[in-house]
Amino acid sequence: MCGIAGYIGEEQAREIIIDGLKRLEYRGYDSAGVAIAGDKGLQIRKAVGRIENLEKLMAEEPVSGNLGIGHTRWATHGEPTKVNAHPHTNEDGTIAVVHNGIIENYAELRTWLKDEHGVTFKSETDTEVIAHLIGLMYKGDLLEAVFEAVSKLSGAYAIGVVCADEPDRIVAVRNDAPLIVGLGENCNFLASDIPAMLKYCRSIYFIENCETVLITKDEVTIFNAKREKVKRDIYHVTMDADAAEKGGHDHFMIKEIYEQPQGILKTIERRLDENGRVKLDGIKLTRKELSDIERVYIVACGTAYHAGLIGKYAIERFAGIPVEVDIASEFRYRNPFVNAKTLFICISQSGETLDTLMALREAKKKGARVLSIVNVVGSSVARESDDVFYTWAGPEIAVASTKAFTTQMVCLYLLALYMAAENGTLEEGQFTRVMDELKRTPELIREVLSRENAIKKIAKRIYKNENVFFIGRGLDASIAFEGALKLKEISYIHAFAIAAGELKHGTIALLDMDTLVITLASQTALNDKIVSNIKEVKARGAEVISLAKDGAVKIADESDDVIYIPECIDEVAPILAIVPLQLLAYHIAKLRGCDIDKPKNLAKSVTVE
Ligand code: M6R
């Protein structure tokens, strides 16, 4: 959601910034722009749509200079037009601002700037307010002007500012939206995320909330909210640069689907000791604290929330502790029973989802201990949690989350097994049975992936459907939600998921011969019940494609088609069952000609509430 890329050094800034913006494309955007400072003052170029449009414009109207900021905008205030695209400037065009986030008091500020200072606004954005505010405060010192201006802002934001009169510096501020600074040789970088600068540097500073940073070619100075200089440790990025490339695949999504066995293996290996027991190295949760926990709260959004539903099952079943799962954006607005005896688990691939971050802070205020399951090392959620359980999925670039989901489920199983072992709630035989099967999941997923052609065939047959229902029972109900989300977000097909037993309480009224129902039947223990649901659906004329384990004869007899997954215990079946649904969504979207990695209206990292 909005991307910022900035450069100051000895090279032409335009190529480096455009390259950085391209690497942030996964965040989602609908327009792009740059401000380059050079001999000709600030040169601003903006275009609606893809970065290629901006590049075309820059070829027609070239810019030059060794300092600049760039932006990909995901529209919030005002449509995705050229005027609303960033950077925005003050009235005389000497100060340019890029911004990620939302300025909540922008309407009051806009009125004040108009009425009291006669400012004329060009765009509908909240960002333009920042540019005018800085312009108003500017008395020959950009850093001072930014300090003054941000003291008037409320909301969540990361901003980058350049000034024609000070073409040797970038000033940037962070408040609840990600911002990092990269340290190069005779140059420095600014960005929303690491991939934007991975090609040029590996040493970075994470900018913290309410910090302002002054970046010159040779120096980076960080200030806290009291304008005091702060010292920051350098973080050395170990991420493989290739990991953020497609590596011969058509899309990041399919590459990431295929990376699941290796991600799961890594996630498991890092958490097992030589005796095959779960170890929580680096997690400070003591045995005593664990035994004091009365309730677990899992909070997340989207796909991560679906992983949380599976986690509820695993923790309740193995560790015998009651678990509540909540959507992060809802959590804050209730009065949840969270206290010092609550283990609050946040799940987030990016670690930057603002809804999740806000819920985390709320839980901390109430005294809960926060353990997060996060993929991005050093992200906001990770840094603000008491403990972090990393998913070692590697960078997930496609908007549709795949490998993060399966590794999140694996983390939750490991955590549940650890708690069970500590609390003595699972017999040794049961522990070994689940753990052994969990260890086998990478190999089982490889088997699922080897069956991609069968899924492609089904995709070909059904891709024109406009209405798809996903049903399932128990663990399969959560996978139905995730399967439907995958399909709708990348293929734009209307997909609706519901617990199979709930269908008859209303939703069944929608079924007829034009509906396709994907029935999840990976839970052998619930097969008889799901067979009844298939019959109900078939009786209304709907077509049924089921997902079942190899040899599920009864399911096959009742269904029009079956997607098979290898035999495994019911407890770990969700980790396998989602994979064919990811593949199905992918191939359907491909056949429909959709922009799979960058679906419309979506952003990878949702940094607004
Ligand atoms: O980065 P997070 O895991 O916190 O993101 C949460 C959701 O925004 C995310 O899972 C979203 O639902 C995905 N697009 C689903 O594929």
Side-chain angles (χ1 to χ4, degrees):
M1 186 164 274
C2 295
I4 293 176
Y7 169 81
I8 180 163
E10 291 168 351
E11 305 295 320
Q12 281 298 326
R14 55 175 189 250
E15 280 85 16
I16 297 169
I17 292 173
I18 290 290
D19 184 61
L21 291 180
K22 283 188 176 164
R23 285 164 205 281
L24 296 178
E25 275 192 305
Y26 71 88
R27 298 171 70 83
Y29 71 104
D30 34 48
S31 59
V34 295
I36 306 289
D39 301 340
K40 298 177 194 147
L42 285 188
Q43 306 142 80
I44 310 245
R45 302 289 181 269
K46 305 184 198 188
V48 174
R50 293 275 174 241
I51 293 171
E52 287 71 38
N53 300 348
L54 177 65
E55 282 182 293
K56 250 187 236 157
L57 177 71
M58 286 165 74
E60 287 159 16
E61 298 171 22
V63 292
S64 72
N66 310 118
L67 149 72
I69 47 177
H71 188 261
T72 44
R73 172 174 187 253
W74 189 84
T76 57
H77 294 60
E79 286 180 19
T81 58
K82 190 166 175 172
V83 174
N84 287 336
H86 300 207
H88 290 282
T89 57
N90 62 333
E91 284 204 287
D92 64 8
T94 51
I95 289 169
V97 175
V98 289
H99 160 224
N100 171 10
I102 289 180
I103 305 302
E104 283 168 1
N105 60 339
Y106 92 101
E108 297 99 280
L109 290 171
R110 196 174 162 109
T111 311
W112 178 73
L113 285 162
K114 266 194 201 164
D115 296 352
E116 304 290 321
H117 299 279
V119 168
T120 314
F121 281 84
K122 297 188 199 82
S123 76
E124 300 158 85
T125 64
D126 50 343
T127 308
E128 195 181 344
V129 160
I130 312 174
H132 289 299
L133 265 182
I134 299 174
L136 198 67
M137 310 292 176
Y138 187 68
K139 308 275 180 289
D141 184 338
L142 183 63
L143 181 64
E144 274 304 312
V146 171
F147 275 138
E148 288 299 313
V150 294
S151 69
K152 300 208 173 312
L153 303 179
S154 62
Y157 49 84
I159 60 176
V161 190
V162 290
C163 173
D165 298 336
E166 298 181 48
D168 64 343
R169 60 196 53 209
I170 300 174
V171 178
V173 189
R174 175 198 157 122
N175 188 36
D176 281 338
L179 196 65
I180 53 171
V181 171
L183 311 172
E185 288 276 324
N186 302 323
C187 62
N188 288 308
F189 305 82
L190 176 73
S192 305
D193 198 1
I194 296 172
M197 50 181 74
L198 209 51
K199 206 165 131 187
Y200 309 98
C201 70
R202 298 216 152 238
S203 300
I204 62 164
Y205 285 143
F206 286 111
I207 306 304
E208 301 285 355
N209 275 339
C210 305
E211 286 182 348
T212 300
V213 54
L214 172 66
I215 310 164
T216 66
K217 173 170 91 64
D218 307 305
E219 227 178 324
V220 174
T221 319
I222 305 173
F223 301 89
N224 63 18
K226 293 188 205 146
R227 306 185 187 185
E228 299 157 340
K229 286 186 187 176
V230 289
K231 215 178 138 20
R232 179 67 27 84
D233 291 340
I234 295 177
Y235 177 80
H236 294 282
V237 183
T238 51
M239 184 197 288
D240 177 4
D242 293 346
E245 304 288 341
K246 280 188 213 146
H249 290 273
D250 285 350
H251 299 95
F252 279 110
M253 183 180 175
I254 191 74
K255 174 184 175 236
E256 289 160 8
I257 289 174
Y258 270 84
E259 282 170 349
Q260 292 180 105
Q262 145 204 352
I264 291 175
L265 193 66
K266 220 168 162 186
T267 300
I268 295 178
E269 274 177 357
R270 294 196 177 199
R271 288 284 170 209
L272 290 190
D273 66 16
E274 56 287 357
N275 303 316
R277 314 299 292 183
V278 184
K279 60 172 183 189
L280 295 191
D281 281 10
I283 291 183
K284 300 176 285 290
L285 195 65
T286 63
R287 217 167 249 201
K288 163 88 180 66
E289 283 166 332
L290 197 61
S291 63
D292 282 349
I293 288 166
E294 286 177 353
R295 178 196 300 265
V296 173
Y297 233 107
I298 304 182
V299 170
C301 307
T303 289
Y305 168 75
H306 298 149
L309 296 175
I310 302 286
K312 172 183 167 71
Y313 166 89
I315 296 171
E316 287 184 343
R317 160 106 164 71
F318 305 149
I321 303 174
V323 182
E324 294 251 12
V325 192
D326 217 342
I327 293 170
S329 54
E330 290 296 314
F331 174 80
R332 293 176 73 196
Y333 303 105
R334 295 191 291 107
N335 190 18
F337 291 110
V338 172
N339 55 33
K341 296 196 166 185
T342 310
L343 175 64
F344 187 85
I345 303 180
C346 270
I347 312 176
S348 176
Q349 186 285 129
S350 62
E352 298 295 348
T353 302
L354 198 57
D355 287 327
T356 309
L357 195 58
M358 290 304 182
L360 178 160
R361 289 183 189 159
E362 189 70 24
K364 276 191 113 172
K365 254 195 250 160
K366 289 175 176 274
R369 183 174 186 98
V370 177
L371 183 150
S372 58
I373 295 178
V374 177
N375 195 37
V376 177
V377 177
S379 55
S380 303
V381 169
R383 281 179 293 140
E384 293 191 29
S385 302
D386 296 307
D387 289 305
V388 188
F389 205 124
Y390 281 111
T391 45
W392 294 104
E396 191 182 68
I397 308 288
V399 165
S401 189
T402 53
K403 58 179 182 171
F405 180 64
T406 41
T407 52
Q408 283 160 355
M409 286 192 282
V410 166
C411 285
L412 287 158
Y413 275 99
L414 289 170
L415 193 63
L417 288 171
Y418 176 83
M419 288 169 139
E422 290 297 308
N423 292 351
T425 44
L426 202 61
E427 282 168 19
E428 190 54 34
Q430 285 288 24
F431 180 96
T432 315
R433 176 177 159 271
V434 179
M435 182 57 92
D436 285 354
E437 197 75 336
L438 201 57
K439 286 197 261 181
R440 225 162 59 89
T441 52
E443 165 199 332
L444 294 171
I445 291 183
R446 266 186 212 109
E447 173 59 31
V448 174
L449 293 169
S450 74
R451 303 177 184 188
E452 187 182 357
N453 276 340
I455 295 162
K456 261 192 206 168
K457 267 191 208 146
I458 294 181
K460 244 189 201 147
R461 187 155 70 74
I462 64 173
Y463 77 97
K464 288 191 179 147
N465 253 285
E466 288 302 336
N467 215 3
V468 181
F469 285 74
F470 286 73
I471 61 169
R473 284 177 172 265
L475 287 166
D476 276 339
S478 309
I479 297 302
F481 288 118
E482 177 56 11
L485 178 62
K486 284 292 88 79
L487 185 63
K488 63 185 136 187
E489 71 178 329
I490 60 164
S491 73
Y492 318 137
I493 290 175
H494 173 251
F496 183 83
I498 186 165
E502 186 65 8
L503 201 57
K504 58 186 175 296
H505 297 289
T507 308
I508 203 162
L510 294 172
L511 303 188
D512 59 26
M513 51 193 293
D514 293 327
T515 344
L516 170 67
V517 178
I518 298 188
T519 307
L520 298 186
S522 80
Q523 298 295 296
T524 309
L526 298 173
N527 264 3
D528 289 345
K529 296 270 181 241
I530 202 79
V531 163
S532 308
N533 295 125
I534 297 176
K535 284 186 196 275
E536 280 165 12
V537 166
K538 295 283 300 173
R540 272 80 195 171
E543 181 182 358
V544 173
I545 295 179
S546 295
L547 183 146
K549 289 179 193 157
D550 285 341
V553 182
K554 274 200 217 161
I555 304 284
D557 286 349
E558 301 297 334
S559 313
D560 296 299
D561 214 333
V562 186
I563 296 169
Y564 288 105
I565 58 169
E567 183 56 51
C568 61
I569 64 170
D570 282 0
E571 287 90 330
V572 306
I575 305 172
L576 306 192
I578 190 58
V579 179
L581 301 185
Q582 296 167 343
L583 287 170
L584 191 65
Y586 173 78
H587 286 294
I588 289 176
K590 203 170 172 188
L591 289 161
R592 289 169 75 100
C594 300
D595 192 349
I596 293 177
D597 286 336
K598 287 165 257 161
K600 66 177 181 196
N601 303 338
L602 292 182
K604 180 68 180 163
S605 178
V606 185
T607 49
V608 294
E609 274 188 275

